Amino acid sequence: LAHAPPPIIMSARAPTLATRPRSSAPRARPRRRADVVAAVGYRPSSTRDRRVFPTRLPSSPSPSPSPSPSPSPSSPSSGSRDPRAAAAVPDADDAPSPSTSSSTPAVTYVERAVTPREAWRRMWTRADRYHVHGISGAAFTLLGGYVLAAWAKRDLGALSLIDDRGASANAVRDALEAHGGAPEFWGLATVSLALAGVCALSGTPLGTRRGWRKVELSARSTLFQLVLTWQALRLGPGGEYLAGLDEFAWPLALTPFAWQCVTSAYIVAFTDDDKRSAMLVLVGTWLFGAQVFPAASVIASAGGVDALAATRPGLVTVWTHSLLGLVWLLNWSTLGASMRARRVIDDEGYRRSFLLRPSAAWIALFALDAAAYRPFASIWEYFATAGGARL
């Protein structure tokens, strides 16, 4: 009994980590984000948004390829949300040199196209309370597009490019006799402008959930849209009730353009965004100026709107049509920017379907209006009068 081992006393305390043996092997250095992007081909933080599938790339034949070792529990990548990225990216210290041949084939990840259902789920967000932003935007897109298409059809009929039994020619004549004060479909156009305003104002708070750049995009688009809407309503029937802002016509017109120039310079100089898309947006913004600046000049001058209706009655109608078209184009491009941010479309699709083609359609509508209502005797007069700013 004198040499018996001491009794074992059970303790309620659990063994601490200090009593556990520590591994003598050095811990692996944490992987850099650039290494992950370079080896896998996508950002690990966007794995949930992008559907990726492993694809074997051709490499040197090997009699018995060995599988990649699984990461140890003490490795920093063992808690990664995407195990594929952890298995496909070696540590910088363990990565083989370019001159060393490996028996394991290289692995990359390729993206597949987004299905319509996935695109719908990405755009239909619960953050939009009662879906006011989405419903008003869709309603404006359909109603505004219908009004613009109806105006384009009237222009084609007035130019005898389609046969509508003289209805379009009579509508154009009535608009000129009314000094541009009663554009056709103006009631529907006013409703569509109101829907566009609801869409813009309800979309600005949603940007707070996606970072300051989304907030900046929403606020800038809203300011642009408010300026365009005010000019359209000021030139249309009943515009005299909005004459209180005439003295601020130039500051209101210049502010969004200056803002856009600063934003475009920041995107080109300090971000990884597509530079071609950024420059196309900047060029399109100054294309807006070809309409906004002459209208601001006329509105800012005393009695300018009445003088415009008396001297160039057709130009009032052309400008109201053009301003509604710009509001539609602005909303459409903003929708494309949101779809690109949610990876529903790529940069090429954004440029093609949301910038170039809609801009070409707006230019075509302006040309048809100018040909049908004849506010200028020639193209030279258009440039000589600065787009109608000099009466």
Side-chain angles (χ1 to χ4, degrees):
L1 294 178
H3 300 283
I8 300 176
I9 300 176
M10 302 297 294
S11 175
R13 296 181 58 186
T16 61
L17 294 177
T19 61
R20 296 180 182 176
R22 295 186 178 180
S23 176
S24 59
R27 298 187 62 178
R29 186 172 61 85
R31 298 184 180 89
R32 295 181 303 169
R33 186 178 181 85
D35 298 334
V36 176
V37 175
V40 184
Y42 69 100
R43 297 183 182 275
S45 60
S46 61
T47 305
R48 182 178 57 182
D49 296 332
R50 296 193 179 200
R51 300 299 180 91
V52 293
F53 300 91
T55 302
R56 297 285 180 180
L57 295 179
S59 60
S60 58
S62 174
S64 58
S66 59
S68 300
S70 59
S72 61
S74 61
S75 173
S77 62
S78 59
S80 175
R81 294 177 60 184
D82 191 357
R84 294 172 300 183
V89 184
D91 286 334
D93 296 337
D94 302 334
S97 60
S99 61
T100 305
S101 61
S102 176
S103 60
T104 303
V107 177
T108 188
Y109 290 91
V110 295
E111 300 180 19
R112 66 172 174 82
V114 178
T115 62
R117 183 173 182 177
E118 291 172 346
W120 175 265
R121 292 181 62 184
R122 294 183 185 184
M123 299 301 297
W124 192 258
T125 172
R126 293 182 180 179
D128 184 10
R129 190 173 181 83
Y130 302 113
H131 299 291
V132 175
H133 179 66
I135 293 175
S136 59
F140 167 73
T141 301
L142 296 176
L143 183 59
Y146 168 76
V147 173
L148 293 173
W151 284 340
K153 182 180 178 181
R154 286 301 192 199
D155 293 341
L156 294 174
L159 296 173
S160 300
L161 298 178
I162 60 175
D163 185 14
D164 59 356
R165 300 181 180 180
S168 298
N170 295 332
V172 171
R173 185 181 64 252
D174 294 341
L176 294 177
E177 291 178 354
H179 299 285
E184 195 177 14
F185 302 108
W186 185 245
L188 292 178
T190 304
V191 174
S192 64
L193 288 173
L195 289 173
V198 173
C199 177
L201 294 176
S202 61
T204 302
L206 300 180
T208 57
R209 297 175 177 268
R210 300 187 63 86
W212 71 270
R213 295 218 27 211
K214 178 60 178 176
V215 175
E216 186 272 338
L217 171 63
S218 300
R220 176 164 38 91
S221 301
T222 301
L223 181 58
F224 258 114
Q225 184 169 307
L226 291 178
V227 172
L228 295 172
T229 301
W230 172 69
Q231 287 190 350
L233 295 177
R234 179 66 181 90
L235 295 172
E240 60 273 7
Y241 297 103
L242 301 175
L245 296 176
D246 288 357
E247 58 179 330
F248 305 104
W250 271 116
L252 288 175
L254 292 174
T255 300
F257 287 90
W259 188 348
Q260 180 63 57
C261 291
V262 174
T263 301
S264 298
Y266 170 79
I267 292 174
V268 172
F270 300 104
T271 69
D272 296 332
D273 293 1
D274 186 75
K275 302 301 185 288
R276 289 181 295 176
S277 299
M279 295 307 299
L280 282 177
V281 170
L282 181 60
V283 172
T285 300
W286 288 102
L287 184 65
F288 281 30
Q291 172 59 73
V292 175
F293 295 156
S297 177
V298 171
I299 294 174
S301 60
V305 177
D306 296 335
L308 178 67
T311 56
R312 301 181 189 275
L315 190 57
V316 176
T317 304
V318 172
W319 279 2
T320 53
H321 292 187
S322 176
L323 289 168
L324 178 62
L326 289 179
V327 174
W328 195 94
L329 178 59
L330 177 64
N331 279 264
W332 187 251
S333 61
T334 305
L335 172 63
S338 298
M339 295 177 67
R340 182 183 59 174
R342 290 173 172 85
R343 301 180 182 88
V344 176
I345 59 174
D346 56 4
D347 289 320
E348 182 63 29
Y350 172 65
R351 290 192 299 268
R352 180 179 61 253
S353 301
F354 291 88
L355 293 179
L356 295 177
R357 292 177 180 176
S359 299
W362 176 79
I363 294 174
L365 176 62
F366 187 88
L368 287 174
D369 280 338
Y373 291 92
R374 299 180 181 276
F376 305 103
S378 62
I379 298 179
W380 167 250
E381 186 180 2
Y382 171 78
F383 289 104
T385 59
R390 302 169 185 168
L391 302 178

